[in-house]
Amino acid sequence: MKDPKIIIALDYPSAAPAHALAERLQPSLCRLKVGKELFTASGPALLEQLMRRGFEVFLDLKFHDIPNTAAQACKAAASLGVWMVNVHALGGRKMLEASREAIAGSTRKPKLIAVTLLTSMAQEDLSDIGINVTPAEMVLRLATLARDSGLDGVVCSAQEAALLRKHCGNAFCLVTPGIRPEHASLNDQSRVMTPQAALQAGSSYLVIGRPVTQAADPLQALLDICKDIGVQE
Ligand code: C5P
């Protein structure tokens, strides 16, 4: 079976534009990411419809709660049949282990990954909440915790991929947003990497939103990226 490296972020307020885009893309070339906005608006029915179209779905709800609650949320996500689900590593070892155990017996076990540190958090934001290490140290620490708790991987910036690949091993899954093909608009992203560079740095999956979702021809934009990373249709 194909294992497309590209995950298209469906950052939409409702189901209609998400379906309109899905209709123009191909499940053999990409997976789809549904986050808090779209899932809150459209719920499990949308996931079912996207999966019926043949797409695998990353449910990006970043669960962060007491161990039992986070674990049960992961179990509920697994029962929806999603391919990937995530939690915050800041929830701690007990929460990470409970989440992993909760989905272990699922018929279709999703990949369980952790968010390390939100990239919106800078040094002063860490100081504000009483954390006195650098963001880079924090990311490494949380990624190591996720790996030691038996999770499949983390979401991280492509800039961190090489370091995390070295520390966390080849089997660890690194999911990287902030990807921009050469010449694409940066939008509001600042530290970006091209798809090829991110894969070379050790990224396992590339989360790409606007360069595809806002393209005049989204399928062509996706095909161009596939060509850049050496994937044939
Ligand atoms: O449109 P763009 O390619 O910038 O979309 C990137 C996607 O990745 C969005 O869904 C965004 O929320 C998500 N993301 C990110 N940076 C992170 C974590 C998630 O851009 N650190």
Side-chain angles (χ1 to χ4, degrees), residues 163-216:
L163 179 73
L164 296 187
R165 176 62 64 225
K166 190 165 138 241
H167 280 268
C168 299
N170 282 336
F172 204 56
C173 181
L174 302 177
V175 179
T176 59
I179 302 297
R180 288 293 178 271
E182 224 153 326
H183 310 303
S185 157
L186 294 189
N187 309 111
D188 56 357
Q189 299 278 13
S190 52
R191 294 163 64 228
V192 300
M193 242 193 221
T194 65
Q196 307 96 298
L199 290 175
Q200 265 161 23
S203 171
S204 316
Y205 297 104
L206 311 170
V207 175
I208 302 178
R210 289 160 290 182
V212 169
T213 60
Q214 293 186 3

Side-chain angles (χ1 to χ4, degrees), residues 7-11 33 35 60 62 115 117-120 155-157 176-180 186-189 207-214:
I7 304 173
I8 301 297
L10 297 181
D11 291 322
K33 178 171 91 68
D60 178 20
K62 303 184 179 72
V115 175
L117 191 63
L118 293 170
T119 43
S120 52
V155 183
C156 65
S157 138
T176 59
I179 302 297
R180 288 293 178 271
L186 294 189
N187 309 111
D188 56 357
Q189 299 278 13
V207 175
I208 302 178
R210 289 160 290 182
V212 169
T213 60
Q214 293 186 3

